[in-house]
Amino acid sequence: MQPGGILFFPQTPVPLPAADLQFLLGQQQTGSRLHKNIAYKPDRDQLSGVDKKSATPADLEQLHSVMRRYSASVDSFLAGFLAPYQMRWRLDYASFRPLEEEGRDLPVHRRNDLLHTDAFPTRPTRGWRILRFFHNIHPTRTRDWVVGDPFAKVVHVFAPGKLATPKPDTPVTRTAKSVAQSTGLAGLVPQWKRTPYDEFMMQLHNAMKEDAAFQSSCAREQIEFVPGSSWMVYTETVPHAVLGGQYALEQTFLVDPAAMVTPESAPISILEKMAGARLA
Ligand SMILES: [Fe+2]
């Protein structure tokens, strides 16, 4: 993949079984402020974000099976399609997005319609790339995105200036981390596992969404993903926003930046160059 690009499949290479597709199109979530989407966690074989008040146990079981199958089929497709990366990624969460994106009422940091690069508040990647595979399963509606200038350009709009240049670990945070590791608490204290890289990426995500002047003046390219299409993109590198569309599936992979053909284009490399130090 080219850095800053989207790899588009006019027809998805990972079609769903007809029964799974029909089942997903019959789902509607309520309470959109609480849950952006339904998540499937392959490592724990666990489903979250489901509106349990309106779902029967049979529905929940079927949704779980559909998501488990979807996650496994994307994983197996990419193992072949991205053979050079194999064994150098971690299968992260899959998601099902049943809500219409246009006009959603969400707090600013969770809004999808504002241009942003991805960072996960509770899942630090420590410099690993966020590769996401999407599928517009709506039978007739396009999924409408806007993409902006790539990370290497946009980061300089914000740092240094609006955001401080990322800094390496201070002795204090290093101590906190080593205490957490030596006492076996590291897994229980996620914030201690965040690296300076993760801190900066989260700040950048928030700063982009909060900055009305940036949102109105930045480069914006509109893309309409047709029904039945798929696309793959490094979402921590390609600023993106979702303006409209309903019913999408997505599977996330965390890819080792050292597995890249051009590791120097990974955000961790760009930020470490700016900082003059290691950040993860
Ligand atoms: Fe995003």
Side-chain angles (χ1 to χ4, degrees):
M1 280 171 77
Q2 292 299 307
I6 293 180
L7 188 58
F8 176 60
F9 302 88
Q11 277 211 312
T12 187
V14 188
L16 288 177
D20 290 5
L21 182 60
Q22 280 316 307
F23 176 78
L24 291 177
L25 295 178
Q27 304 306 305
Q28 179 59 270
Q29 285 261 294
T30 56
S32 66
R33 283 189 74 90
L34 292 178
H35 297 297
K36 278 177 79 172
N37 50 50
I38 291 164
Y40 172 69
K41 301 168 182 171
D43 57 333
R44 280 168 271 170
D45 187 30
Q46 201 180 71
L47 203 60
S48 63
V50 183
D51 176 14
K52 288 187 174 151
K53 282 192 292 267
S54 62
T56 65
D59 278 348
L60 283 177
E61 189 44 52
Q62 190 168 355
L63 183 57
H64 199 150
S65 307
V66 169
M67 293 305 291
R68 185 188 295 122
R69 270 195 291 278
Y70 173 72
S71 179
S73 62
V74 177
D75 190 34
S76 121
F77 166 70
L78 279 202
F81 188 76
L82 291 182
Y85 290 4
Q86 201 171 5
M87 308 306 289
R88 299 177 80 176
W89 67 47
R90 293 201 306 270
L91 185 65
D92 195 65
Y93 298 177
S95 63
F96 172 46
R97 300 153 183 234
L99 296 172
E100 169 58 55
E101 293 288 345
E102 193 175 340
R104 286 184 68 182
D105 176 24
L106 290 167
V108 67
H109 290 168
R110 294 178 65 193
R111 277 176 61 180
N112 293 332
D113 61 323
L114 296 170
L115 215 62
H116 65 281
T117 45
D118 282 351
F120 301 141
T122 57
R123 278 142 56 223
T125 73
R126 300 168 167 192
W128 282 43
R129 311 287 313 268
I130 301 175
L131 177 64
R132 303 186 112 169
F133 181 93
F134 294 90
H135 181 181
N136 178 11
I137 63 168
H138 197 290
T140 56
R141 174 106 163 81
T142 56
R143 194 162 185 89
D144 305 331
W145 273 35
V146 167
V147 295
D149 282 330
F151 180 87
K153 194 167 173 187
V154 163
V155 70
H156 295 295
V157 174
F158 290 88
K162 296 174 180 178
L163 292 176
T165 304
K167 290 191 176 61
D169 276 358
T170 63
V172 173
T173 57
R174 267 207 300 275
T175 304
K177 274 181 197 164
S178 63
V179 168
Q181 277 152 9
S182 66
T183 54
L185 289 172
L188 302 174
V189 190
Q191 66 273 27
W192 286 1
K193 291 162 68 183
R194 288 166 74 111
T195 64
Y197 170 80
D198 296 298
E199 292 298 336
F200 181 85
M201 294 302 279
M202 199 69 244
Q203 284 173 25
L204 180 64
H205 164 274
N206 294 346
M208 287 173 83
K209 287 187 173 177
E210 289 164 3
D211 192 331
F214 168 74
Q215 293 290 332
S216 62
S217 65
C218 63
R220 300 170 74 90
E221 184 190 347
Q222 302 218 15
I223 305 176
E224 292 184 352
F225 296 106
V226 294
S229 64
S230 275
W231 58 103
M232 270 164 66
V233 54
Y234 283 113
T235 55
E236 94 292 29
T237 312
V238 178
H240 58 282
V242 189
L243 303 188
Q246 190 184 9
Y247 295 120
L249 284 166
E250 172 270 335
Q251 171 67 59
T252 301
F253 297 82
L254 300 181
V255 185
D256 183 350
M260 304 285 109
V261 177
T262 56
E264 67 279 5
S265 65
I268 183 82
S269 304
I270 293 167
L271 294 179
E272 287 186 339
K273 212 178 206 176
M274 287 167 68
R278 297 292 301 272
L279 297 174

Coordinates of all heavy atoms in Angstrom, one line a residue, residues 67-110:
M67 N -20.3 -12.3 13.7 CA -19.0 -11.5 13.9 C -17.8 -12.4 14.0 O -16.7 -12.0 13.5 CB -19.2 -10.6 15.1 CG -20.2 -9.5 15.0 SD -20.0 -8.5 13.6 CE -18.5 -7.6 14.0
R68 N -17.9 -13.5 14.6 CA -16.8 -14.5 14.7 C -16.4 -14.9 13.3 O -15.2 -14.9 13.0 CB -17.2 -15.6 15.6 CG -16.1 -16.6 15.9 CD -16.6 -17.9 16.6 NE -17.2 -17.6 17.9 CZ -18.4 -17.9 18.3 NH1 -19.3 -18.5 17.4 NH2 -18.8 -17.7 19.5
R69 N -17.4 -15.3 12.5 CA -17.1 -15.7 11.1 C -16.5 -14.6 10.3 O -15.5 -14.8 9.5 CB -18.4 -16.2 10.4 CG -18.7 -17.6 10.6 CD -19.8 -18.1 9.6 NE -21.1 -17.5 9.9 CZ -22.0 -18.0 10.8 NH1 -21.6 -19.0 11.5 NH2 -23.1 -17.4 11.0
Y70 N -17.0 -13.4 10.4 CA -16.5 -12.3 9.7 C -15.1 -12.0 10.0 O -14.2 -11.8 9.1 CB -17.4 -11.0 9.9 CG -16.8 -9.8 9.3 CD1 -16.9 -9.7 7.9 CD2 -16.2 -8.8 10.0 CE1 -16.3 -8.6 7.3 CE2 -15.6 -7.7 9.4 CZ -15.7 -7.6 8.0 OH -15.1 -6.5 7.4
S71 N -14.8 -11.9 11.3 CA -13.4 -11.6 11.7 C -12.4 -12.7 11.2 O -11.4 -12.3 10.7 CB -13.4 -11.6 13.3 OG -12.1 -11.4 13.8
A72 N -12.8 -13.9 11.3 CA -11.9 -15.0 10.8 C -11.7 -14.9 9.3 O -10.6 -15.2 8.8 CB -12.5 -16.4 11.2
S73 N -12.8 -14.5 8.6 CA -12.7 -14.5 7.1 C -11.8 -13.4 6.6 O -11.0 -13.5 5.7 CB -14.0 -14.6 6.4 OG -14.8 -13.5 6.8
V74 N -11.9 -12.2 7.3 CA -11.0 -11.1 6.9 C -9.6 -11.5 7.2 O -8.6 -11.2 6.5 CB -11.4 -9.8 7.6 CG1 -10.5 -8.7 7.2 CG2 -12.8 -9.4 7.2
D75 N -9.4 -12.1 8.4 CA -8.0 -12.4 8.8 C -7.4 -13.4 7.8 O -6.2 -13.2 7.4 CB -8.1 -13.1 10.2 CG -6.7 -13.3 10.8 OD1 -5.8 -12.5 10.6 OD2 -6.6 -14.3 11.6
S76 N -8.2 -14.3 7.4 CA -7.7 -15.3 6.4 C -7.4 -14.7 5.1 O -6.4 -15.0 4.4 CB -8.6 -16.6 6.4 OG -9.1 -16.8 5.2
F77 N -8.3 -13.8 4.6 CA -8.1 -13.1 3.4 C -6.7 -12.3 3.4 O -5.9 -12.4 2.5 CB -9.2 -12.1 3.0 CG -8.9 -11.2 1.9 CD1 -8.7 -11.6 0.6 CD2 -8.7 -9.8 2.2 CE1 -8.4 -10.7 -0.4 CE2 -8.3 -8.9 1.2 CZ -8.2 -9.4 -0.1
L78 N -6.5 -11.5 4.5 CA -5.4 -10.7 4.6 C -4.1 -11.5 4.7 O -3.0 -11.0 4.3 CB -5.5 -9.6 5.7 CG -6.3 -8.4 5.4 CD1 -5.9 -7.3 6.3 CD2 -6.1 -7.9 4.0
A79 N -4.2 -12.6 5.3 CA -3.0 -13.5 5.5 C -2.4 -13.8 4.1 O -1.2 -13.8 3.9 CB -3.3 -14.7 6.3
G80 N -3.3 -14.0 3.1 CA -2.8 -14.3 1.8 C -2.5 -13.0 1.0 O -1.5 -12.9 0.4
F81 N -3.4 -12.0 1.1 CA -3.3 -10.8 0.3 C -2.1 -10.0 0.8 O -1.4 -9.4 -0.1 CB -4.6 -10.0 0.5 CG -4.7 -8.8 -0.4 CD1 -5.0 -8.9 -1.7 CD2 -4.4 -7.5 0.1 CE1 -5.1 -7.8 -2.6 CE2 -4.5 -6.4 -0.8 CZ -4.8 -6.6 -2.1
L82 N -1.8 -9.9 2.0 CA -0.7 -9.2 2.5 C 0.4 -10.2 3.1 O 0.9 -10.1 4.2 CB -1.1 -8.2 3.7 CG -1.9 -7.0 3.2 CD1 -2.2 -6.1 4.5 CD2 -1.3 -6.2 2.2
A83 N 0.7 -11.1 2.2 CA 1.6 -12.2 2.7 C 2.9 -11.7 3.3 O 3.4 -12.2 4.3 CB 1.9 -13.1 1.5
P84 N 3.5 -10.6 2.7 CA 4.8 -10.1 3.3 C 4.6 -9.6 4.8 O 5.6 -9.6 5.5 CB 5.2 -8.9 2.4 CG 4.4 -9.1 1.2 CD 3.2 -9.8 1.5
Y85 N 3.4 -9.3 5.2 CA 3.2 -8.8 6.6 C 2.9 -10.0 7.5 O 2.8 -9.8 8.7 CB 2.0 -7.9 6.7 CG 2.1 -6.5 6.0 CD1 3.2 -6.2 5.3 CD2 1.1 -5.6 6.2 CE1 3.3 -4.9 4.7 CE2 1.2 -4.4 5.6 CZ 2.3 -4.0 4.9 OH 2.4 -2.8 4.3
Q86 N 2.7 -11.2 7.0 CA 2.1 -12.2 7.9 C 3.0 -12.5 9.1 O 4.2 -12.4 9.1 CB 2.0 -13.5 7.1 CG 1.0 -14.5 7.7 CD 0.7 -15.7 6.8 OE1 1.4 -15.8 5.8 NE2 -0.2 -16.5 7.2
M87 N 2.3 -12.7 10.2 CA 2.9 -13.0 11.5 C 3.4 -11.7 12.1 O 4.0 -11.7 13.2 CB 4.1 -14.0 11.4 CG 3.7 -15.3 10.8 SD 2.3 -16.1 11.5 CE 3.0 -16.6 13.1
R88 N 3.3 -10.6 11.4 CA 3.8 -9.3 12.0 C 2.6 -8.3 12.2 O 2.8 -7.2 12.1 CB 4.9 -8.7 11.1 CG 6.0 -9.7 11.0 CD 7.1 -9.2 10.1 NE 8.0 -8.3 10.7 CZ 9.0 -7.8 10.1 NH1 9.3 -8.1 8.9 NH2 9.8 -6.9 10.8
W89 N 1.5 -8.9 12.5 CA 0.3 -8.1 12.9 C -0.4 -8.8 14.0 O -0.2 -10.0 14.2 CB -0.6 -7.7 11.8 CG -1.4 -8.9 11.2 CD1 -2.1 -9.9 11.8 CD2 -1.5 -9.2 9.8 NE1 -2.7 -10.7 10.9 CE2 -2.4 -10.3 9.7 CE3 -1.1 -8.5 8.6 CZ2 -2.7 -10.9 8.4 CZ3 -1.4 -9.1 7.4 CH2 -2.2 -10.2 7.3
R90 N -1.2 -8.0 14.8 CA -2.1 -8.6 15.7 C -3.5 -8.3 15.3 O -3.9 -7.2 14.9 CB -1.9 -8.0 17.1 CG -0.5 -8.3 17.7 CD -0.6 -8.1 19.3 NE -1.0 -6.8 19.6 CZ -0.2 -5.7 19.8 NH1 1.1 -5.9 19.6 NH2 -0.7 -4.6 20.2
L91 N -4.4 -9.4 15.3 CA -5.8 -9.2 15.0 C -6.4 -8.5 16.1 O -6.4 -8.9 17.3 CB -6.4 -10.6 14.8 CG -7.8 -10.7 14.3 CD1 -8.0 -10.1 12.9 CD2 -8.3 -12.1 14.4
D92 N -6.9 -7.3 15.8 CA -7.6 -6.5 16.9 C -9.1 -6.6 16.8 O -9.6 -7.7 16.2 CB -7.1 -5.0 16.7 CG -7.4 -4.1 17.8 OD1 -6.9 -4.3 18.9 OD2 -8.2 -3.2 17.7
Y93 N -9.9 -5.7 17.2 CA -11.3 -5.8 17.2 C -11.9 -5.7 15.8 O -11.4 -5.1 15.0 CB -12.0 -4.7 18.1 CG -11.6 -4.7 19.5 CD1 -12.0 -3.7 20.4 CD2 -10.7 -5.6 20.1 CE1 -11.7 -3.6 21.7 CE2 -10.4 -5.6 21.4 CZ -10.9 -4.6 22.2 OH -10.5 -4.5 23.6
A94 N -13.1 -6.4 15.7 CA -13.9 -6.2 14.5 C -15.1 -5.3 15.0 O -15.4 -5.3 16.2 CB -14.4 -7.5 14.0
S95 N -15.8 -4.6 14.1 CA -17.0 -3.9 14.5 C -18.1 -4.0 13.4 O -17.8 -4.1 12.3 CB -16.6 -2.4 14.8 OG -16.1 -1.8 13.7
F96 N -19.3 -3.8 13.9 CA -20.5 -3.7 13.1 C -21.1 -2.4 13.4 O -21.3 -2.0 14.6 CB -21.4 -4.9 13.4 CG -22.8 -4.7 12.7 CD1 -22.9 -4.4 11.4 CD2 -24.0 -5.0 13.4 CE1 -24.1 -4.3 10.7 CE2 -25.2 -4.8 12.8 CZ -25.3 -4.5 11.4
R97 N -21.3 -1.6 12.4 CA -21.8 -0.2 12.5 C -23.2 -0.1 11.9 O -23.3 0.3 10.7 CB -20.8 0.8 11.9 CG -19.5 0.6 12.6 CD -18.3 1.0 11.7 NE -17.0 0.7 12.4 CZ -16.1 1.6 12.5 NH1 -16.2 2.8 12.1 NH2 -15.0 1.3 13.2
P98 N -24.3 -0.4 12.7 CA -25.6 -0.4 12.1 C -26.3 0.9 12.0 O -27.4 1.0 11.4 CB -26.3 -1.4 13.1 CG -25.7 -1.1 14.4 CD -24.2 -0.8 14.1
L99 N -25.7 2.0 12.6 CA -26.5 3.2 12.6 C -26.2 4.1 11.4 O -25.1 4.1 10.9 CB -26.1 4.0 13.9 CG -26.4 3.4 15.2 CD1 -25.8 4.2 16.3 CD2 -27.9 3.3 15.4
E100 N -27.2 4.9 11.0 CA -26.9 5.9 10.0 C -26.0 6.9 10.6 O -26.1 7.4 11.7 CB -28.3 6.6 9.6 CG -28.1 7.8 8.8 CD -27.4 7.6 7.4 OE1 -27.8 6.7 6.7 OE2 -26.4 8.3 7.2
E101 N -24.9 7.2 9.8 CA -23.8 8.1 10.3 C -24.2 9.6 10.2 O -23.8 10.4 11.0 CB -22.5 7.9 9.6 CG -21.9 6.5 9.8 CD -21.3 6.4 11.2 OE1 -21.1 7.4 11.9 OE2 -21.0 5.3 11.6
E102 N -25.1 9.9 9.2 CA -25.5 11.3 9.0 C -26.3 11.8 10.2 O -27.3 11.2 10.5 CB -26.2 11.4 7.7 CG -26.4 12.8 7.2 CD -27.0 12.9 5.9 OE1 -27.0 11.9 5.1 OE2 -27.5 14.0 5.6
G103 N -25.9 12.9 10.8 CA -26.8 13.6 11.8 C -26.7 12.9 13.2 O -27.6 13.1 14.0
R104 N -25.7 12.1 13.4 CA -25.6 11.4 14.7 C -25.2 12.5 15.8 O -24.5 13.4 15.6 CB -24.5 10.3 14.7 CG -25.0 9.1 14.0 CD -24.0 8.0 14.1 NE -23.8 7.5 15.4 CZ -23.0 6.5 15.7 NH1 -22.2 6.0 14.8 NH2 -22.9 6.1 17.0
D105 N -25.8 12.2 17.0 CA -25.5 13.1 18.1 C -24.5 12.5 19.1 O -24.8 11.7 19.9 CB -26.9 13.3 18.8 CG -26.7 14.2 20.1 OD1 -25.8 15.0 20.1 OD2 -27.6 14.1 21.0
L106 N -23.2 12.9 18.9 CA -22.2 12.3 19.7 C -21.3 13.4 20.3 O -21.2 14.5 19.7 CB -21.3 11.4 18.8 CG -21.9 10.1 18.3 CD1 -21.0 9.5 17.2 CD2 -22.0 9.1 19.5
P107 N -20.7 13.2 21.4 CA -19.7 14.2 22.0 C -18.6 14.4 21.0 O -18.2 13.5 20.2 CB -19.2 13.5 23.3 CG -20.1 12.3 23.5 CD -20.7 12.0 22.2
V108 N -17.9 15.6 21.0 CA -17.0 16.0 20.0 C -15.9 15.0 19.7 O -15.6 14.7 18.6 CB -16.4 17.4 20.2 CG1 -15.5 17.4 21.5 CG2 -15.7 17.9 19.0
H109 N -15.3 14.4 20.8 CA -14.2 13.5 20.6 C -14.6 12.1 19.9 O -13.8 11.4 19.5 CB -13.4 13.2 21.9 CG -12.6 14.4 22.3 ND1 -12.1 14.5 23.6 CD2 -12.3 15.6 21.7 CE1 -11.5 15.7 23.7 NE2 -11.6 16.3 22.6
R110 N -15.9 11.9 20.0 CA -16.4 10.6 19.4 C -17.1 10.8 18.1 O -17.6 9.8 17.5 CB -17.3 9.9 20.4 CG -16.5 9.5 21.7 CD -17.4 8.8 22.7 NE -18.0 7.6 22.2 CZ -19.0 6.9 22.7 NH1 -19.6 7.4 23.8 NH2 -19.4 5.8 22.2

